[in-house]
Amino acid sequence: MDPLHGNRRVEAGPLTFFAPLEPLAGIGHLVMTTRAGGLSQPPYDTLNLGAHVGDVGERVRLNRRKVAAALGRKLREPVVPDQVHGTRVQAVGELHAGTRWEQPERALDGTDALITAATRLPLVVLVADCLPIAVADPVRRAGAVIHAGWRGLADGIVEATFTLMAQTWGSEAADLHVWAGPAIGPCCYEVGPEVAHRFGGFTRPGEGDRVQLDLRAALHARLGRAGVNEENITGLPLCTACQAELFFSHRRATRAGYDTTGRQALFFWLDPS
Ligand SMILES: [Zn+2]
């Protein structure tokens, strides 16, 4: 079995990325960053791309510039939403290029998914256990990114994204291709009954009244119910908590006694037609 599930590992100077072997639906490019090659110090070591986790701002800026340089000069400046584990989706275009990328600003507040039809405009999701998701619609030539932890997933962030794509461009779920990146796996994701009761069927027994939650399986089931074809669902199903060399994990950091950690990022952009 392919351990990278149709993805490849890319060494770009000191940086290590993962990317699918083929563009998503033939139109979407994506890059998943890892911890490698950045300037941040513990517990943000080293390629922390999150500007709101307590790291030194200048280091985050330099880390982000390293990634932007590796992505290539033909792209616009990336767009970063202000993620809050909610269900708000916003449409962005060329004029949003660079939003929240070089510095904090009051834009795209409280937003956990972005949709766009603009080409060469990287949409960003920052994660450290939550699912980073890219969506491509090859028929309407549109795309989206989604930040989905248990709360956003249970509250319907994925469906909200599909709804806004349908309202904006007439996107149909049967046409969508979805890629879901590294997130905390059921091996490491112990949750209490207040979370478990939102995810019946995607948990297995743990210690006491705790259970192990399979966030990715819950996502796949929701995608199926929304009308996405199973063969159009791909991703890189690695566990962020297990893969300590590669990824930041909030849960792993908490267990080690830290109250914060860095963020890796999914970058997703559409090709010019
Ligand atoms: Zn694990």
Side-chain angles (χ1 to χ4, degrees):
M1 203 174 105
D2 171 15
L4 291 181
H5 302 264
N7 299 275
R8 65 201 161 97
R9 186 178 169 127
V10 183
E11 308 292 341
L15 307 180
T16 299
F17 298 147
F18 289 99
L21 295 170
E22 303 291 336
L24 190 62
I27 64 163
H29 292 275
L30 65 89
V31 158
M32 187 74 222
T33 67
T34 68
R35 293 174 59 176
L39 300 164
S40 297
Q41 303 296 307
Y44 309 106
D45 49 317
T46 59
L47 192 72
N48 169 42
L49 299 174
H52 296 87
V53 291
D55 193 2
V56 179
E58 188 57 20
R59 292 206 180 110
V60 178
R61 261 192 296 284
L62 291 170
N63 287 342
R64 286 181 170 189
R65 284 178 193 162
K66 274 175 175 246
V67 174
L71 294 181
R73 286 161 194 254
K74 290 181 178 163
L75 299 179
R76 303 176 206 277
E77 280 209 304
V79 185
V80 187
D82 169 44
Q83 303 168 185
V84 292
H85 297 280
T87 56
R88 186 171 184 211
V89 187
Q90 293 212 56
V92 293
E94 293 162 17
L95 292 175
H96 292 87
T99 302
R100 299 186 93 102
W101 175 249
E102 276 286 325
Q103 56 205 5
E105 56 185 295
R106 294 184 67 84
L108 303 176
D109 284 354
T111 299
D112 285 272
L114 299 173
I115 68 169
T116 196
T119 60
R120 301 186 295 111
L121 179 67
L123 309 180
V124 180
V125 177
L126 297 164
V127 283
D129 279 340
C130 293
L131 282 161
I133 302 166
V135 182
D137 176 351
V139 178
R140 316 289 173 165
R141 296 198 75 89
V145 294
I146 305 169
H147 163 249
W150 74 262
R151 188 181 298 277
L153 192 62
D155 288 346
I157 182 69
V158 173
E159 294 82 351
T161 306
F162 292 174
T163 297
L164 190 58
M165 291 180 76
Q167 289 167 352
T168 308
W169 302 295
S171 293
E172 295 179 18
D175 297 324
L176 302 180
H177 291 237
V178 179
W179 186 95
I184 192 163
C187 38
C188 297
Y189 200 15
E190 194 183 65
V191 299
E194 74 287 356
V195 176
H197 93 270
R198 308 279 311 266
F199 289 95
F202 301 103
T203 60
R204 59 182 191 228
E207 303 253 325
D209 66 348
R210 313 282 291 176
V211 298
Q212 304 291 121
L213 172 58
D214 191 339
L215 208 54
R216 190 176 303 273
L219 168 68
H220 282 225
R222 280 180 169 265
L223 292 173
R225 278 202 300 277
V228 178
N229 294 314
E230 199 176 335
E231 64 268 25
N232 292 343
I233 304 172
T234 56
L236 181 58
L238 300 179
C239 173
T240 46
C242 288
Q243 302 282 338
E245 295 295 313
L246 288 172
F247 301 115
F248 295 105
S249 165
H250 190 267
R251 184 62 68 103
R252 189 182 65 239
T254 307
R255 271 196 229 118
Y258 295 105
D259 56 6
T260 183
T261 189
R263 297 287 184 275
Q264 53 262 358
L266 166 66
F267 291 79
F268 177 71
W269 64 95
L270 298 172
D271 252 354
S273 50

